[in-house]
Amino acid sequence: MAPDGQTLAPNVYDAEPIPDAARAEIDRLLTSGDLFRYTAPADAPVALLEVEFANLLGARYALAVSSCSAALFLSLKALDLPKGAKVLIPAFTFAAVPSAVVHADCAPVLVEVGQNYRVDMADFAAKLPGADAVMISHMRGHTSDMDAIMALADAAGVPVIEDAAHSLGTTWGTRNIGTIGRIGCFSFQSYKLVNAGEGGIMVTDDPELAARAIIMSGAYEQNWKKHPGLQNSFGHWQNKLPLYNLRMQNLSAAVIRPQLPLVAERVAKGLANHDYVAGRLNSTTTLHVPPALPQESRAPDSIQFNLIGDWTDAQATGFQSAAKARGVSVQVFGLSDGNARAFWNWQFLGDPPDLPQTRAMLMRACDVRLPARLTRPELDYIADALIDAATDACNQ
Ligand SMILES: *Cc1c(COP(=O)(O)O)cnc(C)c1O
């Protein structure tokens, strides 16, 4: 509280402390020096994390790696796609996603995304013929229509990888996001629900894909024997695949494991916070939070909303400044310089494709962090600041 009784703009940038339980385990690892996942004969922290994560998600196999980008890359390699294979990705995602596709010697094909941040199914259906794989990025945890995507992809015999980097805790009907496609990939980078600084994990029910990904992640010689349940598959692949060495180390697993039991509570709080602020923004005629799809239960740690009505670019920029003056940082994806989520900035792909729908969305879609720890007065502070900033900007 400020001296005059007003709530100060909340700090939405600091991370949550890592649970105390991590300390004893980190101390133990530092004392023994046992940081490499394959040194211990069994029960290394990384191996335990894989079992716990697979159980949490309801998947048969999990492989912990150095980042979600590494998991996405290994997923494509595990599918054994031909060089230059076409991989459909949403045009609204983080630059790491097309980068993983390029890294795997494949060619990304960008699919239009609607005003609701989800894959445009008409464009998806039009671009699917000729595609070798689909990588669905649930950007900021917004889930595309997985029933429609799986029906079309299955009918076409095209494998689906889910980029669930930011979707831990999101459900689709009775399923966990990340378990619907052939492989699901998650991130433990600091801006995600579970924070290890860096890290990633992939889940699959397919023993062949798991075995191939495990070997390529760097399970050299007989180290694959430390991954349970896959012995037949491994025997076939040993020494036939390159080793990319994208392993996770034990310290990361020690930071992640005590956070897994907190996921459900973080999801519940994050969703309640999000829906409260969404309700307030949706009471205006200038700001709009698109609803989740009916099958989707979200796990948000930020809020995205559109500037609706006749906003000019200057008014949208003015909105960012007016919010900033009130202590609330808003990013309009398409208006912040060099934004890594705006497809026209992915210059490593060559000339940007013509994607008018996604471009229009990005020019008016806003992003505000909303961590689960915020209190109701802090949420009201943020909502008030955004609503007042919109009023100011529209009167310009
Ligand atoms: C964070 C993120 C990634 C990249 O994850 P890293 O672990 O940093 O490689 C990929 N896709 C989406 C949607 C993300 O949010």
Side-chain angles (χ1 to χ4, degrees):
M1 288 284 211
D4 60 359
Q6 296 259 277
T7 304
L8 292 171
N11 175 342
V12 297
Y13 279 93
D14 288 356
E16 303 293 326
I18 303 302
D20 273 339
R23 285 176 211 281
E25 179 68 350
I26 289 168
D27 250 357
R28 189 184 71 79
L29 292 169
L30 295 185
T31 305
S32 66
D34 182 12
L35 305 184
F36 183 51
R37 68 164 298 168
Y38 291 130
T39 303
D43 293 339
V46 177
L48 295 175
L49 166 65
E50 288 169 346
V51 172
E52 290 161 2
F53 197 86
N55 288 341
L56 181 69
L57 269 286
R60 282 177 74 188
Y61 309 107
L63 170 66
V65 290
S66 52
S67 68
C68 182
S69 299
L72 295 171
F73 164 76
L74 285 173
S75 300
L76 293 166
K77 298 304 282 184
L79 288 172
D80 199 20
L81 301 171
K83 212 177 168 86
K86 290 195 172 119
V87 180
L88 299 196
I89 64 169
F92 175 43
T93 183
F94 187 60
V97 176
S99 302
V101 176
V102 171
H103 189 190
D105 277 331
C106 299
V109 176
L110 276 51
V111 179
E112 285 270 35
V113 167
Q115 293 295 312
N116 66 354
Y117 321 129
R118 292 162 176 88
V119 167
D120 179 285
M121 287 312 303
D123 200 42
F124 180 88
K127 288 174 176 165
L128 187 62
D132 300 285
V134 168
M135 184 174 273
I136 290 297
S137 205
H138 304 300
M139 186 53 175
R140 286 290 191 272
H142 296 284
T143 310
S144 290
D145 185 342
M146 288 308 292
D147 294 341
I149 286 168
M150 293 310 297
L152 286 169
D154 284 348
V158 176
V160 174
I161 298 167
E162 286 182 83
D163 168 17
H166 215 146
S167 292
L168 183 57
T170 302
T171 55
W172 179 261
T174 57
R175 314 276 299 271
N176 284 309
I177 280 301
T179 65
I180 299 172
R182 295 275 300 279
I183 307 178
C185 301
F186 296 83
S187 175
F188 301 122
Q189 187 267 341
S190 287
Y191 295 147
K192 313 299 157 100
L193 198 76
V194 169
N195 165 22
E198 302 283 0
I201 199 163
M202 56 197 281
V203 297
T204 183
D205 286 343
D206 183 323
E208 290 300 310
L209 292 178
R212 290 171 54 82
I214 287 166
I215 289 179
M216 286 189 279
S217 77
Y220 60 94
E221 296 167 353
Q222 307 290 311
N223 281 317
W224 48 262
K225 290 188 172 158
K226 294 176 181 172
H227 293 263
L230 288 160
Q231 305 327 347
N232 295 336
S233 309
F234 283 125
H236 181 66
W237 292 112
Q238 190 184 7
N239 293 336
K240 307 244 172 40
L241 298 169
L243 306 170
Y244 294 103
N245 282 13
L246 300 166
R247 295 173 300 252
M248 179 180 280
Q249 60 135 325
N250 283 336
L251 285 174
S252 305
V255 170
I256 294 163
R257 292 180 59 217
Q259 294 182 62
L260 296 184
L262 307 178
V263 166
E265 189 190 337
R266 288 180 184 175
V267 169
K269 279 190 180 159
L271 183 60
N273 286 357
H274 173 277
D275 288 354
Y276 177 73
V277 174
R280 292 217 43 211
L281 302 189
N282 283 340
S283 71
T284 70
T285 55
T286 49
L287 306 177
H288 180 67
V289 181
L293 297 184
Q295 299 91 323
E296 182 188 8
S297 178
R298 302 197 57 228
D301 57 10
S302 62
I303 189 165
Q304 289 71 46
F305 56 92
N306 295 323
L307 307 176
I308 53 164
D310 297 320
W311 289 72
T312 63
D313 284 355
Q315 285 175 320
T317 308
F319 169 66
Q320 289 185 116
S321 312
K324 183 92 205 157
R326 291 169 167 86
V328 175
S329 287
V330 180
Q331 154 177 256
V332 180
F333 291 105
L335 286 174
S336 70
D337 199 29
N339 195 301
R341 298 149 202 89
F343 65 86
W344 53 88
N345 289 324
W346 304 339
Q347 292 173 20
F348 53 87
L349 296 182
D351 289 338
D354 192 25
L355 296 161
Q357 193 182 319
T358 307
R359 184 181 285 270
M361 178 275 286
L362 288 166
M363 296 306 281
R364 295 293 176 267
C366 304
D367 189 29
V368 173
R369 287 170 61 85
L370 216 55
R373 65 171 175 271
L374 295 185
T375 62
R376 189 53 70 87
E378 290 174 325
L379 297 171
D380 275 319
Y381 183 98
I382 290 172
D384 288 338
L386 294 173
I387 292 167
D388 293 348
T391 307
D392 284 3
C394 289
N395 291 335
Q396 290 290 300

